[in-house]
Amino acid sequence: MKPTLDGLFERATTFPDIDAKERLANLVGLDDQIARLSKILGLLINPSSLLQWAKTHHPQAAVLVDTVLRRPPLVVLAGDVGSGKTELAETIGDAVAREQRVSLTLLPLSLASRGDGRVGQMTQLISAAFDAAAEHATRYKSTGKTSGGVILLVDEADALAQSRESAQMHHEDRAGVNAFIRGIDRLANGRLPAAVIMCTNRLTALDPAIRRRAADVMTFGRPDDLQRTFVLQTRLAPLGFKATDIAALVATTGSRHENGAGFTFSDLTQRLIPAIVLDAYPDNAITASRALDIARSMSATPPFLDGHEFVRV
Ligand SMILES: Nc1ncnc2c1ncn2[C@@H]1O[C@H](COP(=O)(O)OP(=O)(O)O)[C@@H](O)[C@H]1O
Ligand SMILES: [Mg+2]
């Protein structure tokens, strides 16, 4: 049975979108990734802007421009859990839509919550997702000048991304990888205003054939002292936390022993901060000393062990 479009994607978003704009603005320490990703997506969706640039600066550069425009429309976001991959992938379309003055549709496919293991499921799912993306993108293209584009988000792609070389890999997974590669090539060959963002926690497990096709692989890491300071300060300083209180929290949420990992972004925003609030609520006010106790009692999410190799991102 072919999956229906409704069941295929989580809520589709159309950009510009004010909520996405705010979420994107709240991401800390990702300026470089944001700049690179929006540039790549902007070119994939609106290649005429690169042609315009070439006309101005390098009128003889047709081959050069063609080389760039023929890159497969795939960007991989890789790195630790809770480092902002999903958040960025879900919201970057807003920046691109505003810069390019077009409308963008995000089609988010989550593989983690999909596929019940039936033979052929993964392959069908992926093929259907690319069909839908291509159909959408064709609609944008057919109006003459590019009026918009599509971002297909393949989140938590670890299941799919498994290396085909891995001995344990089930035949079905291999077929999923092949369907994915076919889909990418199809978007590229059709020169459709569409791009694929793939998120994975395990870069080294990514199939070499997929990795080779990526126009860019961006890595995401844990927040450093300055970034943790920023995240904690924006939330706790308004409550009267002093600089020394914040500094103590920053130290506690950092690496506590040699080679130990500090808190992830999501450890801070989804575990520590809510724990501090819920500890005080409903009868007490939040205090710095209580907050510090809570931080001390929590430990950081263990780094993802990528095969036998510890991947520092
Ligand atoms: N760079 C960041 N700056 C601020 N908050 C972040 C950042 N990265 C993650 N977060 C917080 O952690 C949550 C989970 O991030 P998410 O993007 O889902 O992580 P993952 O990398 O596992 O996909 C976000 O909703 C946000 O609250
Ligand atoms: Mg994620």
Side-chain angles (χ1 to χ4, degrees):
M1 232 181 71
K2 214 178 160 193
T4 62
L5 196 56
D6 274 353
L8 194 55
F9 298 109
E10 287 152 33
R11 63 226 128 62
T13 310
T14 306
F15 305 113
D17 175 81
I18 190 69
D19 179 55
K21 186 183 162 123
E22 276 169 26
R23 284 168 60 200
L24 184 62
N26 281 334
L27 287 173
V28 178
L30 298 183
D31 294 353
D32 179 48
Q33 287 94 331
I34 290 170
R36 268 158 69 192
L37 189 54
S38 59
K39 211 182 255 194
I40 292 175
L41 295 177
L43 285 185
L44 288 169
I45 279 145
N46 193 9
S48 63
S49 57
L50 189 70
L51 298 173
Q52 198 55 49
W53 166 85
K55 214 166 132 190
T56 310
H57 298 284
H58 305 286
Q60 318 298 338
V63 179
L64 176 96
V65 167
D66 202 54
T67 308
V68 175
L69 292 183
R70 277 191 184 283
R71 285 197 304 180
L74 170 67
V75 181
V76 175
L77 310 188
D80 234 325
V81 179
S83 56
K85 299 182 299 297
T86 299
E87 196 71 1
L88 177 60
E90 286 183 350
T91 59
I92 190 71
D94 181 78
V96 178
R98 286 175 205 273
E99 277 162 24
Q100 303 293 331
R101 298 171 193 278
V102 296
S103 85
L104 286 187
T105 305
L106 175 79
L107 300 175
L109 178 77
S110 171
L111 291 180
S113 55
R114 313 268 165 181
D116 54 13
R118 264 186 298 137
V119 175
Q121 253 247 331
M122 174 80 97
T123 310
Q124 276 194 357
L125 202 65
I126 293 176
S127 302
F130 276 98
D131 283 349
E135 191 193 309
H136 241 82
T138 306
R139 233 180 285 156
Y140 278 126
K141 198 188 179 185
S142 64
T143 56
K145 167 181 173 302
T146 299
S147 60
V150 174
I151 298 173
L152 175 61
L153 169 58
V154 183
D155 203 359
E156 303 176 51
D158 300 31
L160 163 74
Q162 294 284 341
S163 171
R164 284 185 295 184
E165 282 156 15
S166 129
Q168 309 94 311
M169 195 177 189
H170 192 267
H171 167 75
E172 168 57 12
D173 298 333
R174 225 167 265 144
V177 168
N178 290 335
F180 188 85
I181 290 171
R182 268 199 311 277
I184 296 284
D185 290 346
R186 177 176 162 201
L187 295 181
N189 294 336
R191 297 232 177 173
L192 293 170
V196 181
I197 300 178
M198 176 193 245
C199 301
T200 176
N201 297 324
R202 301 192 300 163
L203 185 55
T204 58
L206 198 66
D207 191 281
I210 293 181
R211 209 166 155 168
R212 189 155 40 75
R213 277 171 172 76
D216 202 346
V217 176
M218 295 178 192
T219 51
F220 291 66
R222 298 192 179 211
D224 60 19
D225 288 1
L226 221 66
Q227 291 164 343
R228 289 199 311 285
T229 303
F230 183 84
V231 168
L232 293 167
Q233 205 159 38
T234 46
R235 287 153 179 93
L236 298 173
L239 280 59
F241 278 52
K242 296 198 219 52
T244 49
D245 300 327
I246 304 283
L249 281 171
V250 168
T252 307
T253 54
S255 171
R256 285 183 204 161
H257 46 84
E258 215 187 324
N259 292 330
F263 280 39
T264 65
F265 278 107
S266 64
D267 285 340
L268 297 177
T269 61
Q270 298 188 334
R271 294 174 59 218
L272 178 60
I273 297 285
I276 291 172
V277 171
L278 292 179
D279 172 72
Y281 173 87
D283 294 323
N284 301 303
I286 291 171
T287 65
S289 68
R290 224 13 238 157
L292 192 57
D293 284 344
I294 292 168
R296 283 196 181 117
S297 73
M298 283 175 55
S299 43
T301 300
F304 208 94
L305 288 173
D306 203 347
H308 300 291
E309 182 188 349
F310 176 71
V311 180
R312 252 203 198 295
V313 285

